[in-house]
Amino acid sequence: DGLLLTNNHVVSKENGNALTTFAICMSSSISSRPDCKYTASLITKDEKKDIALLRIDTTDIDGNRVDYSKFTPLSLNFDYIPKAQDTTLAIWYPSVGADTITQTVWVVAGTQQYNDFSYIKTDTAIAPGSSGWPLLHDGKIIGVNTFTMWWALWYALVVSQIKDFIHTHEKDDTNKSILSTQQFQS
């Protein structure tokens, strides 16, 4: 269905108001520079959970109809329970010094409660630009990269914390996958 999951702070202006239209860049591999030929619209956001849901528009920037079935969706693992020492894969497009998608192995350092929500705490400090991107375990999304503390640890909102949010705003209430903001092989 062309759904994209990200952070609220990624889709918001500095004054806190949400943007409404977004450029969506995709890449056929992590070594290729993303091509920004799609746009998306904001469906909804949750400021407290710091998440937002977008949908890729039905036509691309050239006016061609978008076939959502050509995108590689990432499945959500709502049942994952974070365990220290689990190996995860973080994928993002750094906002500083990068032309391509970056992927890094992160190790789960534990969990942390913050603002009434559970976060996966990982051992890796990274450059800005990771917010809103997926944290994967066994090829499925287990978290949404959300914030860092002291540039020493990175925190991802546990995807089970947003299951109701996603199902409430999907076209129907089946277990659909969420598209990442790029196509890649993991």
Side-chain angles (χ1 to χ4, degrees):
D1 289 338
L3 295 176
L4 303 168
L5 182 63
T6 191
N7 291 122
N8 178 61
H9 75 264
V10 169
V11 302
S12 296
K13 297 179 189 177
E14 286 182 23
N15 64 7
N17 293 332
L19 300 166
T20 56
T21 307
F22 305 89
I24 303 300
C25 306
M26 297 201 188
S27 179
S28 59
S29 75
I30 63 167
S31 60
S32 300
R33 187 176 190 152
D35 181 14
C36 302
K37 70 178 199 174
Y38 301 99
T39 58
S41 300
L42 179 66
I43 296 174
T44 190
K45 63 184 184 136
D46 184 319
E47 292 177 20
K48 186 172 180 185
K49 291 181 182 176
D50 192 16
I51 55 171
L53 197 59
L54 308 175
R55 184 179 309 278
I56 295 176
D57 296 326
T58 57
T59 56
D60 66 18
I61 62 170
D62 297 321
N64 299 315
R65 183 166 170 71
V66 175
D67 180 2
Y68 298 137
S69 69
K70 290 185 177 184
F71 300 134
T72 304
L74 294 174
S75 296
L76 298 160
N77 185 348
F78 294 121
D79 299 322
Y80 174 76
I81 299 170
K83 294 179 268 320
Q85 301 303 310
D86 275 356
T87 300
T88 64
L89 180 66
I91 299 168
W92 75 96
Y93 186 68
S95 59
V96 179
D99 275 344
T100 59
I101 304 297
T102 298
Q103 67 179 14
T104 305
V105 173
W106 290 356
V107 176
V108 174
T111 59
Q112 174 130 6
Q113 292 296 116
Y114 180 74
N115 285 345
D116 301 321
F117 303 108
S118 295
Y119 291 86
I120 300 168
K121 182 170 46 173
T122 62
D123 67 342
T124 306
I126 60 166
S130 176
S131 291
W133 286 75
L135 182 64
L136 305 169
H137 180 68
D138 292 335
K140 295 182 179 179
I141 298 173
I142 59 168
V144 179
N145 298 326
T146 304
F147 65 91
T148 187
M149 285 190 178
W150 310 291
W151 295 102
L153 296 170
W154 192 262
Y155 294 82
L157 181 64
V158 178
V159 76
S160 63
Q161 300 282 293
I162 54 179
K163 182 178 183 178
D164 291 340
F165 172 84
I166 292 167
H167 287 309
T168 299
H169 300 290
E170 281 182 317
K171 189 175 186 179
D172 57 40
D173 200 31
T174 60
N175 258 334
K176 297 204 185 245
S177 299
I178 301 296
L179 293 173
S180 68
T181 51
Q182 75 287 330
Q183 295 181 43
F184 61 91
Q185 297 293 324
S186 60

